[in-house]
Amino acid sequence: MLTAGIDIGSISTKAAVLADGRLLGSRVIFTGYNSEAAGKKVFEELLEELGLLASAVRRIVSTGYGRSSVKFVDKAVTEIICHGTGAHFLNPLVRSVIDIGGQDSKAIVLDEHGKVKNFAMNDKCAAGTGRFLEVMANALEADLDGFGEMSLKADRPAGISSLCTVFAESEVISLIAKGESRVNIIAGIHESIAARVSALANRVGIVPPVVMTGGVAKNAGVVKALEKKLGVPIEVSPFAQVNGAIGAAIIAAGLR
Amino acid sequence: MSQVLLYLLAKVKKLILHFKKQNKMKEIMTVYYMEAKSARVGGRKVAWITSGGPVEPLIAMDVIPVYPENHGAMIGASKMGVGLCETAESMGYSTDLCSYARSDIACATVNGGPIGGLPRPDMLVCCNNICGTVLKWYEVQARYFDVPLFILDTPFCHVGFAQEAKRYVRKQLDEYINFLEKVCGKKMDHDRMKEVGKLSLEGQRLWQAVLDTTANRPAPMSAFDAFYHLALIVTLRGTPVVVEYYTQLLAKMKDRVAKGVGAVPNEKYRLLWDNIPIWPRTRWLSQKFAAHDACLVADTYTSAWCGTMKYIDENNFFDSMAEAYTRIYLNIGVDEMARIVIGMVDKYRVDGIVMHSNRSCKPYSLGQYDIQRIVEKERGIPSLMIEADMVDERSFSESQVATRIDAFMEVIKQRKS
């Protein structure tokens, strides 16, 4: 049976198609201003890539901020359950999930069946999220995709103390003015994210093995800073960014 | 001007008659505020008092108590909080200041808000058992209105209640009476005070009995209903109207229980609310939880006005209120707060706790993570933290809160399945 999951986030929209518990394919596009159109587009593009007809997909579950904007799905489920389910599917031993998305960061603790035992999400502040990184990349006129690699070359990460994204941006600008190296500033930014997210993770009481999901997991610098801060190794699946969509597709398979 | 006031008084009388027939909250509150606004015509005095302050001596002295915090809640519920907070901010008050304080301070200068501002006070009574902000807030208002201010200092009860603290607060009650006698120009009638004390305690017992009806499945009312019915125990305790109103409400709730009528049509999940309501969003929140078949059956907030009855001596209300007003929920240590929360979890058989981390109210929000951890450890139930504010809607993000509630309800459903 074919099922699909569509994860409409604040920055990117993801889709995954499963055939009887096997991942057939996945796709990521930018969400843009119209989340409904993005949900439809990513699904159609993925079907085309896989050479499938929409009618072949038995059930679809949507998740993410735009989960309720798409009408052609069978059910909308929140990211918490989808990321937990997706992480459990990719590695059943996983007990904790750290997901950093566009405007949310969350820490989830799972039981041995992949059910969510507890979770915590960031407060309304954007610091410690993907949006924070985007703002910083913009201030540094740097390519976000290269952020992770660049930060690994830092010799002395710069201190970014502000809790507010806007103030942190001013801090970064003044660091640039002081002549601080770009790699050290980037490493400092990653440490500031790690500090915020680890507080969240400690609050909810994460237990290893820990996996990181969401788009920010592609940034090796954030992962490394988080590992250091939490004192536990963090796994990153190659499907980290589409993990929520995979979880949604699994939940779709379980729908009656 | 006096004609206008007499007209108002006449209207009040008419409304009182109307109320005798209808007995509705709205009428009671309208009569109450109109009486307060035309107090001078009847030669009565108005005192502004903090929500946790001892109001009974005021009632006994025939002073009309007015609550800036209740007014703040009304401002929040009528979604006028942002405008007034912005006014306060342009006056120089920090956005970090409590939004009740901000909206009240702003409202006094513009006579705005849902009822055109509170009636001018003749005196202010400030009890710091609920927070420290009220001290500066009431000092500001005492300067603004140029009226006397009485401060009742209730030491924080980290663990237990020391005899020294008891004597200290009891002594201040005498000073309180002296203050009232001076401002009112008459002596306190101690027999009248006893009567008021009895009525206050009776009102509190009835209010607790009303809240207790939600231990039934399905709960005949929800915390959102309690937020509404609460107004009287806060503003008018010590008067017969409270006793009458809650007697009828209790009968109504018992009838609903007998008929199996629930506040949420298909109650499957029972939750406990912690902290002051998010006033501008109570309806939205109520519908959001009801859509998940979840009923907020109890809360730590509305029960605070009947939470210290065990310290009250029925035959000696005046002396014993020193302890009762000092040991309220917001003036005790986190361990004791957690014990109270666990007691409520058991009593109302709840499946989870919804905590409002209230940007405005530090004493209420500090310790929530500890309480969360203690309850999770001892009762194994999950809790949700919603970051918002009781009045200032700028601190509320609907889609973020919606996602957290949806996820929390999914977790509760998973756990119960």
PDB file of all heavy atoms in Angstrom, chain A residues 65 67 77-81 104 115-118 121-124 203, chain B residues 369 376 387 395 397 399-400 403-404 406-408 410-411 414-415 417:
ATOM      1  N   TYR A  65       3.568  23.483  10.114  1.00  0.00           N
ATOM      2  CA  TYR A  65       2.731  24.661  10.343  1.00  0.00           C
ATOM      3  C   TYR A  65       1.577  24.792   9.359  1.00  0.00           C
ATOM      4  O   TYR A  65       0.517  25.314   9.680  1.00  0.00           O
ATOM      5  CB  TYR A  65       3.575  25.936  10.368  1.00  0.00           C
ATOM      6  CG  TYR A  65       3.934  26.234  11.774  1.00  0.00           C
ATOM      7  CD1 TYR A  65       5.102  25.727  12.332  1.00  0.00           C
ATOM      8  CD2 TYR A  65       3.041  26.924  12.584  1.00  0.00           C
ATOM      9  CE1 TYR A  65       5.396  25.928  13.655  1.00  0.00           C
ATOM     10  CE2 TYR A  65       3.324  27.118  13.913  1.00  0.00           C
ATOM     11  CZ  TYR A  65       4.505  26.632  14.448  1.00  0.00           C
ATOM     12  OH  TYR A  65       4.781  26.811  15.754  1.00  0.00           O
ATOM     13  N   ARG A  67      -0.099  22.356   8.094  1.00  0.00           N
ATOM     14  CA  ARG A  67      -0.792  21.065   8.012  1.00  0.00           C
ATOM     15  C   ARG A  67      -2.289  21.172   7.733  1.00  0.00           C
ATOM     16  O   ARG A  67      -2.858  20.301   7.081  1.00  0.00           O
ATOM     17  CB  ARG A  67      -0.555  20.239   9.278  1.00  0.00           C
ATOM     18  CG  ARG A  67      -1.140  20.841  10.544  1.00  0.00           C
ATOM     19  CD  ARG A  67      -0.771  20.019  11.767  1.00  0.00           C
ATOM     20  NE  ARG A  67      -1.290  20.624  12.982  1.00  0.00           N
ATOM     21  CZ  ARG A  67      -0.741  21.657  13.616  1.00  0.00           C
ATOM     22  NH1 ARG A  67       0.378  22.179  13.134  1.00  0.00           N
ATOM     23  NH2 ARG A  67      -1.286  22.153  14.691  1.00  0.00           N
ATOM     24  N   VAL A  77      -1.618  15.902  11.397  1.00  0.00           N
ATOM     25  CA  VAL A  77      -1.021  15.486  12.677  1.00  0.00           C
ATOM     26  C   VAL A  77       0.125  16.455  12.984  1.00  0.00           C
ATOM     27  O   VAL A  77       0.775  16.939  12.059  1.00  0.00           O
ATOM     28  CB  VAL A  77      -0.488  14.028  12.575  1.00  0.00           C
ATOM     29  CG1 VAL A  77       0.199  13.606  13.863  1.00  0.00           C
ATOM     30  CG2 VAL A  77      -1.617  13.061  12.237  1.00  0.00           C
ATOM     31  N   THR A  78       0.374  16.728  14.252  1.00  0.00           N
ATOM     32  CA  THR A  78       1.441  17.704  14.557  1.00  0.00           C
ATOM     33  C   THR A  78       2.834  17.109  14.334  1.00  0.00           C
ATOM     34  O   THR A  78       3.023  15.891  14.308  1.00  0.00           O
ATOM     35  CB  THR A  78       1.367  18.207  16.010  1.00  0.00           C
ATOM     36  OG1 THR A  78       1.627  17.104  16.870  1.00  0.00           O
ATOM     37  CG2 THR A  78       0.025  18.826  16.325  1.00  0.00           C
ATOM     38  N   GLU A  79       3.805  18.000  14.228  1.00  0.00           N
ATOM     39  CA  GLU A  79       5.193  17.602  13.975  1.00  0.00           C
ATOM     40  C   GLU A  79       5.755  16.713  15.081  1.00  0.00           C
ATOM     41  O   GLU A  79       6.621  15.878  14.823  1.00  0.00           O
ATOM     42  CB  GLU A  79       6.111  18.840  13.903  1.00  0.00           C
ATOM     43  CG  GLU A  79       5.726  19.884  12.927  1.00  0.00           C
ATOM     44  CD  GLU A  79       4.810  20.926  13.559  1.00  0.00           C
ATOM     45  OE1 GLU A  79       3.635  20.589  13.780  1.00  0.00           O
ATOM     46  OE2 GLU A  79       5.243  22.045  13.799  1.00  0.00           O
ATOM     47  N   ILE A  80       5.290  16.946  16.315  1.00  0.00           N
ATOM     48  CA  ILE A  80       5.839  16.187  17.444  1.00  0.00           C
ATOM     49  C   ILE A  80       5.684  14.685  17.200  1.00  0.00           C
ATOM     50  O   ILE A  80       6.650  13.918  17.253  1.00  0.00           O
ATOM     51  CB  ILE A  80       5.110  16.564  18.751  1.00  0.00           C
ATOM     52  CG1 ILE A  80       5.258  18.056  19.044  1.00  0.00           C
ATOM     53  CG2 ILE A  80       5.598  15.727  19.927  1.00  0.00           C
ATOM     54  CD1 ILE A  80       6.610  18.515  19.490  1.00  0.00           C
ATOM     55  N   ILE A  81       4.452  14.277  16.928  1.00  0.00           N
ATOM     56  CA  ILE A  81       4.171  12.860  16.721  1.00  0.00           C
ATOM     57  C   ILE A  81       4.873  12.371  15.443  1.00  0.00           C
ATOM     58  O   ILE A  81       5.446  11.283  15.413  1.00  0.00           O
ATOM     59  CB  ILE A  81       2.639  12.631  16.608  1.00  0.00           C
ATOM     60  CG1 ILE A  81       1.927  13.141  17.869  1.00  0.00           C
ATOM     61  CG2 ILE A  81       2.323  11.174  16.328  1.00  0.00           C
ATOM     62  CD1 ILE A  81       2.096  12.311  19.109  1.00  0.00           C
ATOM     63  N   ASP A 104      10.725  26.588  14.838  1.00  0.00           N
ATOM     64  CA  ASP A 104      10.524  25.832  16.066  1.00  0.00           C
ATOM     65  C   ASP A 104      11.723  24.960  16.349  1.00  0.00           C
ATOM     66  O   ASP A 104      12.316  24.416  15.432  1.00  0.00           O
ATOM     67  CB  ASP A 104       9.332  24.864  15.907  1.00  0.00           C
ATOM     68  CG  ASP A 104       8.056  25.457  16.459  1.00  0.00           C
ATOM     69  OD1 ASP A 104       8.155  26.331  17.323  1.00  0.00           O
ATOM     70  OD2 ASP A 104       6.982  25.035  16.010  1.00  0.00           O
ATOM     71  N   LYS A 115       6.405   5.763  20.817  1.00  0.00           N
ATOM     72  CA  LYS A 115       5.361   6.692  21.251  1.00  0.00           C
ATOM     73  C   LYS A 115       6.004   7.837  22.019  1.00  0.00           C
ATOM     74  O   LYS A 115       6.982   7.642  22.743  1.00  0.00           O
ATOM     75  CB  LYS A 115       4.363   5.988  22.176  1.00  0.00           C
ATOM     76  CG  LYS A 115       3.302   5.199  21.429  1.00  0.00           C
ATOM     77  CD  LYS A 115       2.237   4.745  22.414  1.00  0.00           C
ATOM     78  CE  LYS A 115       1.125   4.006  21.691  1.00  0.00           C
ATOM     79  NZ  LYS A 115       0.079   3.574  22.607  1.00  0.00           N
ATOM     80  N   VAL A 116       5.418   9.022  21.894  1.00  0.00           N
ATOM     81  CA  VAL A 116       5.971  10.194  22.563  1.00  0.00           C
ATOM     82  C   VAL A 116       5.664  10.135  24.058  1.00  0.00           C
ATOM     83  O   VAL A 116       4.517  10.035  24.459  1.00  0.00           O
ATOM     84  CB  VAL A 116       5.391  11.496  21.954  1.00  0.00           C
ATOM     85  CG1 VAL A 116       5.890  12.712  22.722  1.00  0.00           C
ATOM     86  CG2 VAL A 116       5.763  11.609  20.486  1.00  0.00           C
ATOM     87  N   LYS A 117       6.725  10.169  24.864  1.00  0.00           N
ATOM     88  CA  LYS A 117       6.520  10.188  26.318  1.00  0.00           C
ATOM     89  C   LYS A 117       6.409  11.620  26.816  1.00  0.00           C
ATOM     90  O   LYS A 117       5.636  11.922  27.706  1.00  0.00           O
ATOM     91  CB  LYS A 117       7.709   9.519  27.027  1.00  0.00           C
ATOM     92  CG  LYS A 117       7.561   8.016  27.154  1.00  0.00           C
ATOM     93  CD  LYS A 117       8.832   7.388  27.685  1.00  0.00           C
ATOM     94  CE  LYS A 117       8.992   7.532  29.188  1.00  0.00           C
ATOM     95  NZ  LYS A 117      10.196   6.821  29.668  1.00  0.00           N
ATOM     96  N   ASN A 118       7.198  12.485  26.236  1.00  0.00           N
ATOM     97  CA  ASN A 118       7.227  13.872  26.692  1.00  0.00           C
ATOM     98  C   ASN A 118       7.866  14.723  25.596  1.00  0.00           C
ATOM     99  O   ASN A 118       8.633  14.219  24.784  1.00  0.00           O
ATOM    100  CB  ASN A 118       8.057  13.967  27.980  1.00  0.00           C
ATOM    101  CG  ASN A 118       7.687  15.176  28.806  1.00  0.00           C
ATOM    102  OD1 ASN A 118       6.913  16.036  28.373  1.00  0.00           O
ATOM    103  ND2 ASN A 118       8.247  15.265  29.993  1.00  0.00           N
ATOM    104  N   MET A 121       8.923  22.433  23.542  1.00  0.00           N
ATOM    105  CA  MET A 121       9.198  23.260  22.367  1.00  0.00           C
ATOM    106  C   MET A 121       9.752  24.602  22.818  1.00  0.00           C
ATOM    107  O   MET A 121       9.522  25.031  23.948  1.00  0.00           O
ATOM    108  CB  MET A 121       7.918  23.476  21.555  1.00  0.00           C
ATOM    109  CG  MET A 121       7.504  22.234  20.796  1.00  0.00           C
ATOM    110  SD  MET A 121       5.881  22.415  20.041  1.00  0.00           S
ATOM    111  CE  MET A 121       6.323  22.973  18.408  1.00  0.00           C
ATOM    112  N   ASN A 122      10.455  25.271  21.907  1.00  0.00           N
ATOM    113  CA  ASN A 122      10.999  26.589  22.226  1.00  0.00           C
ATOM    114  C   ASN A 122       9.874  27.561  22.562  1.00  0.00           C
ATOM    115  O   ASN A 122       8.735  27.366  22.159  1.00  0.00           O
ATOM    116  CB  ASN A 122      11.805  27.125  21.038  1.00  0.00           C
ATOM    117  CG  ASN A 122      10.957  27.322  19.800  1.00  0.00           C
ATOM    118  OD1 ASN A 122      10.187  26.453  19.428  1.00  0.00           O
ATOM    119  ND2 ASN A 122      11.091  28.461  19.162  1.00  0.00           N
ATOM    120  N   ASP A 123      10.218  28.607  23.301  1.00  0.00           N
ATOM    121  CA  ASP A 123       9.209  29.639  23.528  1.00  0.00           C
ATOM    122  C   ASP A 123       9.069  30.443  22.238  1.00  0.00           C
ATOM    123  O   ASP A 123       9.620  30.080  21.210  1.00  0.00           O
ATOM    124  CB  ASP A 123       9.551  30.496  24.750  1.00  0.00           C
ATOM    125  CG  ASP A 123      10.961  31.032  24.705  1.00  0.00           C
ATOM    126  OD1 ASP A 123      11.457  31.266  23.578  1.00  0.00           O
ATOM    127  OD2 ASP A 123      11.570  31.202  25.758  1.00  0.00           O
ATOM    128  N   LYS A 124       8.328  31.541  22.339  1.00  0.00           N
ATOM    129  CA  LYS A 124       7.980  32.243  21.096  1.00  0.00           C
ATOM    130  C   LYS A 124       9.178  32.835  20.370  1.00  0.00           C
ATOM    131  O   LYS A 124       9.084  33.241  19.234  1.00  0.00           O
ATOM    132  CB  LYS A 124       6.995  33.364  21.409  1.00  0.00           C
ATOM    133  CG  LYS A 124       5.593  32.847  21.510  1.00  0.00           C
ATOM    134  CD  LYS A 124       4.622  33.968  21.695  1.00  0.00           C
ATOM    135  CE  LYS A 124       4.893  34.682  22.976  1.00  0.00           C
ATOM    136  NZ  LYS A 124       4.761  33.809  24.141  1.00  0.00           N
ATOM    137  N   ARG A 203      15.531  20.054  29.953  1.00  0.00           N
ATOM    138  CA  ARG A 203      14.266  20.269  30.643  1.00  0.00           C
ATOM    139  C   ARG A 203      13.339  19.066  30.469  1.00  0.00           C
ATOM    140  O   ARG A 203      12.657  18.640  31.383  1.00  0.00           O
ATOM    141  CB  ARG A 203      13.611  21.516  30.075  1.00  0.00           C
ATOM    142  CG  ARG A 203      12.619  22.136  30.995  1.00  0.00           C
ATOM    143  CD  ARG A 203      12.385  23.580  30.631  1.00  0.00           C
ATOM    144  NE  ARG A 203      11.539  23.714  29.474  1.00  0.00           N
ATOM    145  CZ  ARG A 203      11.626  24.709  28.605  1.00  0.00           C
ATOM    146  NH1 ARG A 203      12.533  25.637  28.749  1.00  0.00           N
ATOM    147  NH2 ARG A 203      10.813  24.781  27.590  1.00  0.00           N
TER     148      ARG A 203
ATOM    149  N   TYR B 369       8.227  24.937  36.214  1.00  0.00           N
ATOM    150  CA  TYR B 369       8.996  23.789  35.705  1.00  0.00           C
ATOM    151  C   TYR B 369       9.269  22.776  36.823  1.00  0.00           C
ATOM    152  O   TYR B 369       9.277  21.573  36.586  1.00  0.00           O
ATOM    153  CB  TYR B 369      10.306  24.254  35.062  1.00  0.00           C
ATOM    154  CG  TYR B 369      10.120  24.834  33.689  1.00  0.00           C
ATOM    155  CD1 TYR B 369      10.592  26.092  33.361  1.00  0.00           C
ATOM    156  CD2 TYR B 369       9.446  24.107  32.696  1.00  0.00           C
ATOM    157  CE1 TYR B 369      10.397  26.627  32.088  1.00  0.00           C
ATOM    158  CE2 TYR B 369       9.248  24.637  31.426  1.00  0.00           C
ATOM    159  CZ  TYR B 369       9.727  25.887  31.133  1.00  0.00           C
ATOM    160  OH  TYR B 369       9.534  26.407  29.873  1.00  0.00           O
ATOM    161  N   GLU B 376       5.050  15.138  37.341  1.00  0.00           N
ATOM    162  CA  GLU B 376       5.381  14.093  36.357  1.00  0.00           C
ATOM    163  C   GLU B 376       5.981  12.871  37.068  1.00  0.00           C
ATOM    164  O   GLU B 376       5.635  11.728  36.795  1.00  0.00           O
ATOM    165  CB  GLU B 376       6.362  14.678  35.333  1.00  0.00           C
ATOM    166  CG  GLU B 376       7.190  13.643  34.590  1.00  0.00           C
ATOM    167  CD  GLU B 376       6.765  13.460  33.152  1.00  0.00           C
ATOM    168  OE1 GLU B 376       6.541  14.469  32.491  1.00  0.00           O
ATOM    169  OE2 GLU B 376       6.670  12.294  32.703  1.00  0.00           O
ATOM    170  N   GLU B 387       3.315  29.720  26.524  1.00  0.00           N
ATOM    171  CA  GLU B 387       3.913  31.017  26.849  1.00  0.00           C
ATOM    172  C   GLU B 387       2.985  32.116  26.344  1.00  0.00           C
ATOM    173  O   GLU B 387       2.713  32.183  25.153  1.00  0.00           O
ATOM    174  CB  GLU B 387       5.272  31.165  26.149  1.00  0.00           C
ATOM    175  CG  GLU B 387       6.145  29.950  26.268  1.00  0.00           C
ATOM    176  CD  GLU B 387       7.356  30.177  27.134  1.00  0.00           C
ATOM    177  OE1 GLU B 387       7.606  31.334  27.480  1.00  0.00           O
ATOM    178  OE2 GLU B 387       8.039  29.198  27.452  1.00  0.00           O
ATOM    179  N   SER B 395       1.883  39.111  23.335  1.00  0.00           N
ATOM    180  CA  SER B 395       2.659  37.960  23.785  1.00  0.00           C
ATOM    181  C   SER B 395       1.964  36.644  23.461  1.00  0.00           C
ATOM    182  O   SER B 395       2.262  35.624  24.065  1.00  0.00           O
ATOM    183  CB  SER B 395       2.895  38.040  25.293  1.00  0.00           C
ATOM    184  OG  SER B 395       3.749  39.099  25.581  1.00  0.00           O
ATOM    185  N   SER B 397       0.949  33.953  20.412  1.00  0.00           N
ATOM    186  CA  SER B 397       1.134  33.581  19.018  1.00  0.00           C
ATOM    187  C   SER B 397       0.230  32.385  18.744  1.00  0.00           C
ATOM    188  O   SER B 397       0.482  31.281  19.208  1.00  0.00           O
ATOM    189  CB  SER B 397       2.608  33.268  18.797  1.00  0.00           C
ATOM    190  OG  SER B 397       2.761  32.496  17.646  1.00  0.00           O
ATOM    191  N   SER B 399      -0.678  30.418  16.136  1.00  0.00           N
ATOM    192  CA  SER B 399      -0.319  29.166  15.473  1.00  0.00           C
ATOM    193  C   SER B 399       0.659  28.353  16.320  1.00  0.00           C
ATOM    194  O   SER B 399       0.602  27.123  16.345  1.00  0.00           O
ATOM    195  CB  SER B 399       0.234  29.423  14.071  1.00  0.00           C
ATOM    196  OG  SER B 399       1.464  30.081  14.147  1.00  0.00           O
ATOM    197  N   GLN B 400       1.546  29.049  17.051  1.00  0.00           N
ATOM    198  CA  GLN B 400       2.474  28.304  17.904  1.00  0.00           C
ATOM    199  C   GLN B 400       1.748  27.626  19.049  1.00  0.00           C
ATOM    200  O   GLN B 400       2.019  26.481  19.383  1.00  0.00           O
ATOM    201  CB  GLN B 400       3.540  29.252  18.434  1.00  0.00           C
ATOM    202  CG  GLN B 400       4.480  29.723  17.329  1.00  0.00           C
ATOM    203  CD  GLN B 400       5.859  30.041  17.836  1.00  0.00           C
ATOM    204  OE1 GLN B 400       6.044  30.380  18.981  1.00  0.00           O
ATOM    205  NE2 GLN B 400       6.841  29.918  16.968  1.00  0.00           N
ATOM    206  N   THR B 403      -0.261  24.598  17.741  1.00  0.00           N
ATOM    207  CA  THR B 403       0.582  23.418  17.499  1.00  0.00           C
ATOM    208  C   THR B 403       0.922  22.711  18.805  1.00  0.00           C
ATOM    209  O   THR B 403       0.881  21.487  18.898  1.00  0.00           O
ATOM    210  CB  THR B 403       1.885  23.830  16.778  1.00  0.00           C
ATOM    211  OG1 THR B 403       1.533  24.317  15.496  1.00  0.00           O
ATOM    212  CG2 THR B 403       2.841  22.663  16.629  1.00  0.00           C
ATOM    213  N   ARG B 404       1.222  23.494  19.831  1.00  0.00           N
ATOM    214  CA  ARG B 404       1.570  22.880  21.118  1.00  0.00           C
ATOM    215  C   ARG B 404       0.372  22.147  21.722  1.00  0.00           C
ATOM    216  O   ARG B 404       0.509  21.049  22.262  1.00  0.00           O
ATOM    217  CB  ARG B 404       2.091  23.957  22.076  1.00  0.00           C
ATOM    218  CG  ARG B 404       3.559  24.311  21.803  1.00  0.00           C
ATOM    219  CD  ARG B 404       3.901  25.719  22.246  1.00  0.00           C
ATOM    220  NE  ARG B 404       5.272  26.079  21.902  1.00  0.00           N
ATOM    221  CZ  ARG B 404       5.708  26.346  20.678  1.00  0.00           C
ATOM    222  NH1 ARG B 404       4.898  26.290  19.652  1.00  0.00           N
ATOM    223  NH2 ARG B 404       6.985  26.656  20.455  1.00  0.00           N
ATOM    224  N   ASP B 406      -2.269  20.930  20.060  1.00  0.00           N
ATOM    225  CA  ASP B 406      -2.558  19.746  19.228  1.00  0.00           C
ATOM    226  C   ASP B 406      -1.588  18.612  19.567  1.00  0.00           C
ATOM    227  O   ASP B 406      -1.987  17.460  19.724  1.00  0.00           O
ATOM    228  CB  ASP B 406      -2.446  20.095  17.732  1.00  0.00           C
ATOM    229  CG  ASP B 406      -3.586  20.995  17.261  1.00  0.00           C
ATOM    230  OD1 ASP B 406      -4.604  21.088  17.977  1.00  0.00           O
ATOM    231  OD2 ASP B 406      -3.464  21.595  16.185  1.00  0.00           O
ATOM    232  N   ALA B 407      -0.296  18.953  19.655  1.00  0.00           N
ATOM    233  CA  ALA B 407       0.713  17.925  19.945  1.00  0.00           C
ATOM    234  C   ALA B 407       0.491  17.320  21.331  1.00  0.00           C
ATOM    235  O   ALA B 407       0.556  16.104  21.516  1.00  0.00           O
ATOM    236  CB  ALA B 407       2.114  18.524  19.856  1.00  0.00           C
ATOM    237  N   PHE B 408       0.176  18.173  22.291  1.00  0.00           N
ATOM    238  CA  PHE B 408      -0.059  17.703  23.661  1.00  0.00           C
ATOM    239  C   PHE B 408      -1.260  16.753  23.699  1.00  0.00           C
ATOM    240  O   PHE B 408      -1.211  15.701  24.347  1.00  0.00           O
ATOM    241  CB  PHE B 408      -0.299  18.927  24.556  1.00  0.00           C
ATOM    242  CG  PHE B 408      -0.544  18.612  26.003  1.00  0.00           C
ATOM    243  CD1 PHE B 408       0.452  18.041  26.776  1.00  0.00           C
ATOM    244  CD2 PHE B 408      -1.763  18.910  26.597  1.00  0.00           C
ATOM    245  CE1 PHE B 408       0.236  17.765  28.125  1.00  0.00           C
ATOM    246  CE2 PHE B 408      -1.982  18.646  27.936  1.00  0.00           C
ATOM    247  CZ  PHE B 408      -0.986  18.071  28.700  1.00  0.00           C
ATOM    248  N   GLU B 410      -2.388  14.989  21.216  1.00  0.00           N
ATOM    249  CA  GLU B 410      -2.007  13.736  20.539  1.00  0.00           C
ATOM    250  C   GLU B 410      -1.254  12.821  21.500  1.00  0.00           C
ATOM    251  O   GLU B 410      -1.469  11.613  21.522  1.00  0.00           O
ATOM    252  CB  GLU B 410      -1.146  14.049  19.304  1.00  0.00           C
ATOM    253  CG  GLU B 410      -1.966  14.561  18.120  1.00  0.00           C
ATOM    254  CD  GLU B 410      -1.090  15.124  16.999  1.00  0.00           C
ATOM    255  OE1 GLU B 410       0.143  15.073  17.120  1.00  0.00           O
ATOM    256  OE2 GLU B 410      -1.663  15.627  16.008  1.00  0.00           O
ATOM    257  N   VAL B 411      -0.366  13.422  22.293  1.00  0.00           N
ATOM    258  CA  VAL B 411       0.408  12.629  23.260  1.00  0.00           C
ATOM    259  C   VAL B 411      -0.541  12.015  24.301  1.00  0.00           C
ATOM    260  O   VAL B 411      -0.442  10.830  24.624  1.00  0.00           O
ATOM    261  CB  VAL B 411       1.485  13.505  23.946  1.00  0.00           C
ATOM    262  CG1 VAL B 411       2.111  12.785  25.131  1.00  0.00           C
ATOM    263  CG2 VAL B 411       2.562  13.903  22.946  1.00  0.00           C
ATOM    264  N   GLN B 414      -2.450   9.208  22.709  1.00  0.00           N
ATOM    265  CA  GLN B 414      -1.560   8.047  22.544  1.00  0.00           C
ATOM    266  C   GLN B 414      -1.406   7.303  23.870  1.00  0.00           C
ATOM    267  O   GLN B 414      -1.441   6.084  23.913  1.00  0.00           O
ATOM    268  CB  GLN B 414      -0.172   8.524  22.086  1.00  0.00           C
ATOM    269  CG  GLN B 414       0.094   8.335  20.621  1.00  0.00           C
ATOM    270  CD  GLN B 414       1.581   8.493  20.284  1.00  0.00           C
ATOM    271  OE1 GLN B 414       2.436   8.723  21.135  1.00  0.00           O
ATOM    272  NE2 GLN B 414       1.885   8.352  19.013  1.00  0.00           N
ATOM    273  N   ARG B 415      -1.215   8.069  24.931  1.00  0.00           N
ATOM    274  CA  ARG B 415      -0.997   7.450  26.243  1.00  0.00           C
ATOM    275  C   ARG B 415      -2.233   6.744  26.756  1.00  0.00           C
ATOM    276  O   ARG B 415      -2.135   5.754  27.477  1.00  0.00           O
ATOM    277  CB  ARG B 415      -0.575   8.519  27.262  1.00  0.00           C
ATOM    278  CG  ARG B 415       0.825   9.029  27.045  1.00  0.00           C
ATOM    279  CD  ARG B 415       1.026  10.291  27.835  1.00  0.00           C
ATOM    280  NE  ARG B 415       1.215   9.990  29.249  1.00  0.00           N
ATOM    281  CZ  ARG B 415       2.346  10.215  29.906  1.00  0.00           C
ATOM    282  NH1 ARG B 415       3.361  10.744  29.298  1.00  0.00           N
ATOM    283  NH2 ARG B 415       2.445   9.933  31.180  1.00  0.00           N
ATOM    284  N   SER B 417      -4.551   5.412  24.855  1.00  0.00           N
ATOM    285  CA  SER B 417      -5.046   4.375  23.942  1.00  0.00           C
ATOM    286  C   SER B 417      -4.390   3.033  24.256  1.00  0.00           C
ATOM    287  O   SER B 417      -3.317   2.975  24.795  1.00  0.00           O
ATOM    288  CB  SER B 417      -4.789   4.775  22.501  1.00  0.00           C
ATOM    289  OG  SER B 417      -3.404   4.795  22.257  1.00  0.00           O
TER     290      SER B 417
END
